[in-house]
């Protein structure tokens, strides 16, 4: 109804609008308010405009009170329940807020029924549900900037946010209307998600807090800029909102709370409120030009896209690949756990399919880790971690391949060579743990125990038909294969082994090393 009044008023000539205003007592209050809004938008001069507006609002209020009189005396339990239930039921001037509240609650209940913990959800569950998480949001899943606005980290988080949303929505939505309220809510939520992503890509961020902070900032700004009210009328509301905002931001400093999202939403809300006041001539109104609204939203969304594209993604790609590496490793190691539980079935070939799947998973991780090595902006520790993981993964694949071949040939699979490979894998695990813990690790000792053939297997990225260059105690041995080398030096006499690839190998030994180099130092040397 209110939209039809506004549409009719927008089609009237200036003289017609002024004529209707002179005979305002003959029209419905909603029609007169639409006419007044159109007159204000056109900056027309009308006698007693403000007085007519106040009288019309008073008439409208009296009519509402007559239609819905307040109960006399103490409210009954039933009345209290109805008042509480009213927070969740859309009404004429309180329509979008309860829909947002109900949406957040329904999503939380559905996730709880699906198994998510209601008090302290696991980070993995939140990410799977659509939380904002840099390694995923920045590598092809930008929709998380939006979906994270409707997820909450526990029921306490949900209840606090919904109480705040009802409080600010009940005050702001009737002043700006449904369209501007929902538009501002979504834009402030997106701004909060972007700010969180800029500040910390490794944080799992979820919740409506950024959007809600934005609505508080928007309301405070509009009250400050509104020209009809005096400062005496404004200061109580302004100081109250400033106190709420400051208290929550200070509370968020203790940790575990995404203050970046709060700040991002707040700043966007302040800016958006200022824009609305400038568009309306510094009056509260529900009527805004559609073209102006489209332009405003388009400009903000364009700015969001630009900010999103400017966020550095190297670290996010690194974290994403590590996360996928962990998932593949868990799946690949399932067959090993089964073999440990029931070794009697190994000779029957029960685990061959699991080993084949494991080999394929290790292959995928090897490709990802090689891609990571090519990233130019990796930090020193990250590069070292990738190097260790690559060696670890290559050895895992070697171990699985030997197990598969031995089981297919009905040979004992836990032989000396397999034991040495598993021991070498363990040393890489120790080296990785030491690196992440900031400790020194003796990699020399690790290299000395790894068999020559295992190091050669790690060079599988080279041409499989090409032979690497073997160098024993500094002397290159061209056109030699592994069996020839083992005739020259026994594995027990090896002190250390290192592998050179690509440009590094060619730079040290020339073109003959283009297929890689295996440097062997004997204990005697």
């Amino acid at each position: 109804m209110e939209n039809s009044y506004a549409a009719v008023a927008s089609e009237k000539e200036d003289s017609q609008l002024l004529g209707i205003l002179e005979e305002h007592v003959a029209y419905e209050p909603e029609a007169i308010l639409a006419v007044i809004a159109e007159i204000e938008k056109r900056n027309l001069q009308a006698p007693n405009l403000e007085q007519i507006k106040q009288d019309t609002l008073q008439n409208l209020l009296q009519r509402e009170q007559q239609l819905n009189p307040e109960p006399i005396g103490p409210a009954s339990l039933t009345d209290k329940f109805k008042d509480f239930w009213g927070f969740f039921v859309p009404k004429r001037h309180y329509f979008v807020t309860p829909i947002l509240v109900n949406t957040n609650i329904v999503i939380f209940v559905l996730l709880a029924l699906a198994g998510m913990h209601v008090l302290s959800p696991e980070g993995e569950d939140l990410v799977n549900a659509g939380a904002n998480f840099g390694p995923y949001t920045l590598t092809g899943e930008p929709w998380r900037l939006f979906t994270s606005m409707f997820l909450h980290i526990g029921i306490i988080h949900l209840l606090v946010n919904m109480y705040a949303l009802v409080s600010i929505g009940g005050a702001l939505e009737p002043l700006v209307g449904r369209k501007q309220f929902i538009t501002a809510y979504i834009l402030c939520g997106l701004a909060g998600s972007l700010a969180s992503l800029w500040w910390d890509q490794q944080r799992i961020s979820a919740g409506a807090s950024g959007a809600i902070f934005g609505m508080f900032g928007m309301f405070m700004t509009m009250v400050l800029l509104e020209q009809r009210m005096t400062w005496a009328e404004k200061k109580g509301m302004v100081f109250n909102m400033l106190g709420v905002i400051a208290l929550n931001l200070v509370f968020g400093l203790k940790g575990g709370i995404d203050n970046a999202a709060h700040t991002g939403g707040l700043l966007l809300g302040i800016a958006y409120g200022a824009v609305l006041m400038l568009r309306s001539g510094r009056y509260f109104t529900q009527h805004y030009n559609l073209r102006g609204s489209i332009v405003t939203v388009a400009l903000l969304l364009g700015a969001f896209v630009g900010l999103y594209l400017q966020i550095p993604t190297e670290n996010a790609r690194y974290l994403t690949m590590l996360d996928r590496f962990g998932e593949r490793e868990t799946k690949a190691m399932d067959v090993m756990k089964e073999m440990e539980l029931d070794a009697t079935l190994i000779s029957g070939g029960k685990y061959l399919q699991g080993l084949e799947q494991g080999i394929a998973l290790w292959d995928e991780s090897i490709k990802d880790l090689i891609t990571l090595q090519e990233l130019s902006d990796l930090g020193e520790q990250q590069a070292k971690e990738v190097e260790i993981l690559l060696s670890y993964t290559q050895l895992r694949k070697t171990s699985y391949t030997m197990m598969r071949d031995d089981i297919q040939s009905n040979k004992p699979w836990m032989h000396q060579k397999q034991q040495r490979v598993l021991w070498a894998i363990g040393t890489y695990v120790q080296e990785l743990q030491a690196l992440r813990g900031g400790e020194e690790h003796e990699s020399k000792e690790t290299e000395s125990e790894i068999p020559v053939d295992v190091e050669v297997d790690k060079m599988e990225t080279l041409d499989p038909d090409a032979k690497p260059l073997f160098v024993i105690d500094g002397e290159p041995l061209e056109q030699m294969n592994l069996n020839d080398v083992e005739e020259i030096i026994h594995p027990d006499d090896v002190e250390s082994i290192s592998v050179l690839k690509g440009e590094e190998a060619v730079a040290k030994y020339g073109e003959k090393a283009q297929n890689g180099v295996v440097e062997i130092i004997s204990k005697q040397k």
Side-chain angles (χ1 to χ4, degrees):
M1 182 66 72
E2 59 184 321
N3 290 335
S4 62
Y5 283 135
V8 172
S10 65
E11 295 174 356
K12 298 292 184 183
E13 299 291 338
D14 292 354
S15 59
Q16 291 176 310
L17 292 174
L18 295 174
I20 293 173
L21 193 64
E22 290 177 358
E23 300 176 359
H24 61 276
V25 293
Y27 293 87
E28 291 288 331
E30 292 90 347
I32 297 303
L33 290 176
V35 169
I36 292 174
E38 187 66 25
I39 288 174
E40 290 176 342
K41 186 163 63 174
R42 299 184 190 182
N43 293 321
L44 300 178
Q45 297 299 320
N48 302 319
L49 180 64
E50 187 59 32
Q51 184 62 47
I52 294 173
K53 185 174 185 179
Q54 294 301 324
D55 291 343
T56 304
L57 289 171
Q58 186 65 28
N59 292 336
L60 187 61
L61 179 61
Q62 289 175 355
R63 190 180 71 178
E64 292 287 344
Q65 290 175 343
Q66 291 172 356
L67 294 174
N68 301 289
E70 294 185 2
I72 300 174
S76 65
L77 184 61
T78 302
D79 292 331
K80 291 180 179 179
F81 177 76
K82 288 180 178 178
D83 289 342
F84 174 76
W85 183 249
F87 290 127
F88 307 97
V89 179
K91 304 179 184 66
R92 180 179 180 184
H93 295 298
Y94 177 73
F95 187 84
V96 173
T97 301
I99 291 176
L100 289 172
V101 171
N102 295 335
T103 301
N104 280 278
I105 293 175
V106 168
I107 290 174
F108 184 85
V109 171
L110 290 176
L111 290 174
L113 292 175
M116 183 178 289
H117 199 288
V118 296
L119 293 176
S120 181
E122 296 290 336
E124 182 179 356
D125 291 336
L126 289 167
V127 171
N128 290 337
N132 185 18
F133 184 46
Y136 289 178
T137 307
L138 291 172
T139 54
E141 299 180 3
W143 46 265
R144 291 177 177 273
L145 297 171
F146 177 78
T147 56
S148 61
M149 296 161 49
F150 298 92
L151 302 175
H152 286 84
I153 309 174
I155 192 168
I156 303 300
H157 188 208
L158 173 71
L159 293 177
V160 170
N161 274 351
M162 293 306 98
Y163 175 78
L165 177 55
V166 167
S167 300
I168 188 63
L172 183 58
E173 185 181 346
L175 296 175
V176 299
R178 302 173 185 177
K179 294 179 181 178
Q180 292 302 331
F181 186 84
I182 187 61
T183 300
Y185 183 89
I186 293 174
L187 291 173
C188 290
L190 291 174
S193 296
L194 271 173
S196 176
L197 204 59
W198 266 98
W199 186 257
D200 185 359
Q201 294 181 10
Q202 299 186 51
R203 174 188 288 274
I204 297 175
S205 178
S209 304
I212 294 169
F213 263 79
M215 307 315 283
F216 273 100
M218 176 179 167
F219 191 23
M220 181 182 66
T221 303
M222 296 184 80
V223 170
L224 279 171
L225 294 179
E226 207 277 339
Q227 66 176 356
R228 187 182 299 113
M229 291 187 292
T230 65
W231 173 244
E233 295 172 316
K234 295 178 179 181
K235 66 179 181 180
M237 289 186 289
V238 171
F239 286 134
N240 180 52
M241 283 183 283
L242 277 175
V244 171
I245 292 169
L247 181 63
N248 280 276
L249 290 177
V250 171
F251 181 70
L253 295 176
K254 74 173 188 176
I257 297 177
D258 196 352
N259 251 358
H262 295 172
T263 305
L266 175 65
L267 293 177
L268 197 281
I270 291 172
Y272 196 77
V275 170
L276 289 185
M277 279 286 102
L278 292 175
R279 290 179 59 196
S280 68
R282 296 175 59 191
Y283 291 105
F284 281 113
T285 180
Q286 295 188 7
H287 307 290
Y288 290 91
N289 178 269
L290 179 60
R291 182 180 297 175
S293 297
I294 292 174
V295 170
T296 302
V297 172
L299 289 174
L300 286 173
L301 290 178
F304 289 165
V305 172
L307 288 171
Y308 173 80
L309 294 176
Q310 289 300 313
I311 301 176
T313 60
E314 284 77 10
N315 190 56
R317 293 174 62 190
Y318 169 76
L319 294 173
T320 302
M321 286 192 177
L322 284 190
D323 187 61
R324 291 172 182 164
F325 174 87
E327 292 176 358
R328 293 194 194 106
E329 181 185 36
T330 300
K331 292 180 182 178
M333 293 300 293
D334 285 343
V335 66
M336 290 292 292
K337 294 176 182 178
E338 293 178 9
M339 292 170 69
E340 291 173 358
L341 290 174
D342 193 354
T344 61
L345 298 175
I346 293 177
S347 58
K350 172 180 172 59
Y351 302 115
L352 284 175
Q353 183 178 358
L355 290 170
E356 289 285 3
Q357 291 175 346
I359 291 170
L361 289 168
W362 296 126
D363 258 336
E364 291 177 20
S365 292
I366 288 170
K367 293 176 182 177
D368 271 359
L369 290 166
I370 290 174
T371 301
L372 269 183
Q373 281 188 321
E374 297 172 354
L375 294 179
S376 59
D377 294 333
L378 281 182
E380 182 178 350
Q381 177 163 329
Q382 290 176 331
K384 181 62 177 176
E385 187 170 328
V386 171
E387 179 184 346
I388 296 171
L389 283 174
L390 182 57
S391 297
Y392 163 85
T393 306
Q394 290 168 329
L395 285 179
R396 278 291 185 196
K397 181 186 174 184
T398 298
S399 172
Y400 275 45
T401 303
M402 286 195 297
M403 279 190 279
R404 180 200 61 191
D405 294 344
D406 291 336
I407 292 173
Q408 286 177 333
S409 303
N410 292 320
K411 296 179 181 178
W413 68 275
M414 187 52 78
H415 43 70
Q416 184 180 16
K417 182 179 177 182
Q418 181 68 257
Q419 290 174 342
R420 295 181 71 183
V421 172
L422 292 175
W423 185 91
I425 289 172
T427 62
Y428 279 120
V429 173
Q430 294 173 8
E431 187 174 355
L432 184 63
Q433 291 173 342
L435 177 66
R436 290 175 174 174
E439 303 172 5
E440 292 292 332
H441 184 79
E442 294 292 336
S443 59
K444 182 79 170 180
E445 181 180 349
T446 300
E447 291 176 346
S448 67
E449 298 293 336
I450 301 176
V452 176
D453 50 359
V454 172
E455 286 291 349
V456 173
D457 287 340
K458 287 165 56 180
M459 300 179 67
E460 60 191 347
T461 55
L462 300 172
D463 182 354
D465 297 327
K467 298 178 181 179
L469 174 66
F470 290 92
V471 179
I472 301 179
D473 293 336
E475 180 180 351
L477 304 174
E478 299 184 42
Q479 299 300 318
M480 298 193 71
N481 56 37
L482 182 58
N483 293 331
D484 296 332
V485 172
E486 290 181 343
E487 290 179 4
I488 298 175
I489 181 169
H490 192 274
D492 293 339
D493 295 328
V494 173
E495 173 68 22
S496 67
I497 304 170
S498 58
V499 173
L500 303 180
K501 300 178 184 179
E503 296 180 358
E504 184 182 12
V506 173
K508 189 170 183 179
Y509 292 101
E511 291 299 324
K512 58 188 177 184
Q514 61 183 349
N515 294 315
V517 176
V518 178
E519 293 183 322
I520 304 171
I521 304 297
S522 66
K523 293 180 180 179
Q524 182 178 3
K525 182 65 175 180

